[in-house]
């Protein structure tokens, strides 16, 4: 899909990866609707700093609130026109000192499941439904019309999963919420393919963004030791170039792309090769 002239929603829009993705999309000639939970004045000022020509607008919306997301998506579509997809970056990674009582992780698992997983389903669904609205409701009523198929490319959704989406990655609660993002990506791609909408996800290793503030050294140490190459955190511009490639390369669909230097997050074992115990990293990643 050609990026120029299209509109994309960028969730988590003021965050580390999203702001870089928004800059890339604007530089390629798109308009962007930024969704985040930061105060409206902060978000508006940020949108203004990205584009003084009104090609970036901010909407304060919690992605776990389906009705609010629907309204926000419609607003962006009406104001900026040519809605062609989204780059879904909103997500949270909760940290706390871990103990050997697994049940202590249930609370944070529920919170991350809501934002990272349910939020992904909501954003994907509301964006796709808005793109498809004219064809889903051909007579203008509230009643969906019959199923239809398009051979035209009509949209692209890019979800941010994580290197921790591997089921064996050492993130007890965050990891499964991201594995589900990969699952949602594949299921959405399958369901939306007939309407000409592609869906893919990206799984980065570690990017030094606010998400990782206060992260203990375990994961960064493991990355330095065990990524194949590069053995270092990656830059958000590497994620933006992957997003651009996914949007522009029409055959990329229903897949999860690791941008992780070949790091598997499982190599260091406690007590072996001087490996630290991830449960003792402070603060632990849930
Ligand atoms: N930074 C990394 O190392 C890394 C690695 C792998 C995957 N990821 C994933 O990439 C995505 C972006 O990460 P980032 O590093 O830019 O994080 P970030 O913390 O810089 O940005 C996330 C943004 O999401 C927003 N947000 C949180 N909850 C929200 C909600 N309910 N509704 C709307 N907005 C909400 C936050 O306000 C924030 O601006 C996340 O999904 C993250 O899990 C990040």
């Amino acid at each position: 899909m050609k990026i120029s002239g299209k509109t994309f929603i960028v969730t988590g829009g003021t965050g580390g990866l999203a702001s870089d993705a928004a800059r890339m999309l604007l530089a390629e000639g798109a308009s962007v609707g930024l969704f985040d939970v930061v105060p409206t004045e902060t978000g508006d000022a940020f949108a203004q700093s990205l584009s003084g020509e009104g090609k970036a607008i901010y909407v304060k919306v919690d992605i776990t609130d389906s009705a609010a997301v629907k309204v926000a998506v419609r607003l962006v579509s009406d104001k900026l026109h040519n809605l062609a997809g989204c780059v879904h970056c909103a997500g949270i990674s909760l940290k706390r000192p871990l103990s050997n009582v697994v049940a202590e992780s249930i609370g944070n698992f529920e919170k991350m499941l809501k934002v990272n997983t349910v939020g992904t389903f909501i954003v994907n669904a509301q964006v796709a439904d808005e793109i498809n609205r004219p064809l889903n409701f051909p007579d203008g009523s509230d009643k969906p019309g019959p199923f239809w198929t398009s051979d035209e490319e009509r949209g692209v959704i890019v979800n941010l999963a994580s290197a921790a989406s591997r089921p064996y990655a050492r993130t007890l609660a965050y990891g499964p919420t991201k594995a589900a993002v990969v699952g949602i990506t594949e299921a959405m791609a399958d369901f939306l393919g007939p309407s000409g909408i592609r869906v893919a996800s990206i799984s980065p290793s570690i990017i030094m963004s606010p998400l990782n503030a206060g992260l203990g050294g375990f994961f960064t140490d493991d990355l330095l030791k065990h990524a194949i190459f590069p053995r270092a955190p990656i830059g958000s511009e590497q994620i933006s170039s992957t997003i651009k490639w996914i949007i522009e390369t029409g055959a990329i669909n229903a897949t999860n792309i690791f941008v992780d230097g070949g790091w598997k997050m499982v190599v260091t074992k406690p007590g072996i090769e001087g490996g630290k115990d991830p449960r003792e990293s402070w603060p632990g990643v849930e």
Side-chain angles (χ1 to χ4, degrees):
M1 170 179 282
K2 202 163 159 272
I3 294 175
S4 181
K6 308 288 192 326
T7 292
F8 291 87
I9 282 161
V10 183
T11 70
T14 69
L17 300 195
S19 47
D20 213 67
R23 280 191 196 94
M24 177 278 291
L25 291 166
L26 288 162
E28 293 298 318
S31 300
V32 293
L34 308 169
F35 288 5
D36 209 313
V37 286
V38 302
T40 301
E41 311 78 65
T42 314
D44 284 348
F46 182 71
Q48 178 72 20
S49 76
L50 291 181
S51 164
E53 302 157 20
K55 291 185 110 190
I57 57 173
Y58 175 69
V59 188
K60 181 170 187 268
V61 59
D62 183 333
I63 56 146
T64 66
D65 180 342
S66 181
V69 173
K70 182 176 181 172
V71 170
V73 171
R74 177 77 68 91
L75 187 140
V76 169
S77 175
D78 287 349
K79 271 198 176 169
L80 298 177
H81 312 292
N82 290 337
L83 181 68
C86 83
V87 178
H88 171 49
C89 299
I92 55 171
S93 160
L94 302 176
K95 301 159 189 85
R96 69 179 184 88
L98 300 179
S99 79
N100 55 10
V101 180
V102 185
E104 287 178 0
S105 290
I106 293 171
N108 276 351
F109 176 65
E110 285 177 335
K111 285 183 198 151
M112 288 191 279
L113 194 64
K114 189 158 184 212
V115 177
N116 295 348
T117 309
V118 179
T120 296
F121 199 98
I122 288 173
V123 168
N124 282 224
Q126 296 296 4
V127 169
D129 281 354
E130 178 59 27
I131 294 172
N132 287 341
R133 186 163 53 94
L135 293 161
N136 281 348
F137 301 94
D139 65 3
S141 77
D142 287 347
K143 199 169 161 284
F147 286 111
W148 51 275
T149 302
S150 172
D151 291 332
E152 202 191 314
E153 185 177 43
R154 302 180 58 262
V156 186
I157 294 173
V158 182
N159 292 319
L160 262 297
S162 168
S165 64
R166 287 188 172 100
Y168 42 76
R170 286 189 180 149
T171 48
L172 176 62
Y174 174 79
T177 69
K178 288 297 187 173
V181 171
V182 176
I184 291 169
T185 297
E186 291 183 15
M188 286 283 173
D190 193 51
F191 194 84
L192 296 171
S195 58
I197 297 178
R198 293 185 286 118
V199 191
S201 59
I202 300 176
S203 284
S205 55
I206 294 181
I207 300 116
M208 289 320 195
S209 73
L211 188 94
N212 290 325
L215 183 69
F218 173 76
F219 289 104
T220 36
D221 289 351
D222 194 75
L223 175 75
L224 301 184
K225 265 195 204 150
H226 296 298
I228 299 169
F229 188 82
R231 291 171 291 276
I234 55 173
S236 52
E237 72 287 351
Q238 290 180 289
I239 303 305
S240 294
S241 59
T242 310
I243 293 166
K244 180 173 178 303
W245 173 72
I246 290 172
I247 296 172
E248 291 180 338
T249 309
I252 306 296
N253 199 4
T255 193
N256 176 44
I257 295 162
F258 284 92
V259 183
D260 64 351
W263 180 46
K264 302 289 184 254
M265 286 186 83
V266 289
V267 183
T268 307
K269 305 271 190 308
I272 301 174
E273 301 167 352
K276 287 184 207 152
D277 189 328
R279 294 170 300 176
E280 288 172 6
S281 65
W282 180 277
V285 168
E286 279 280 40

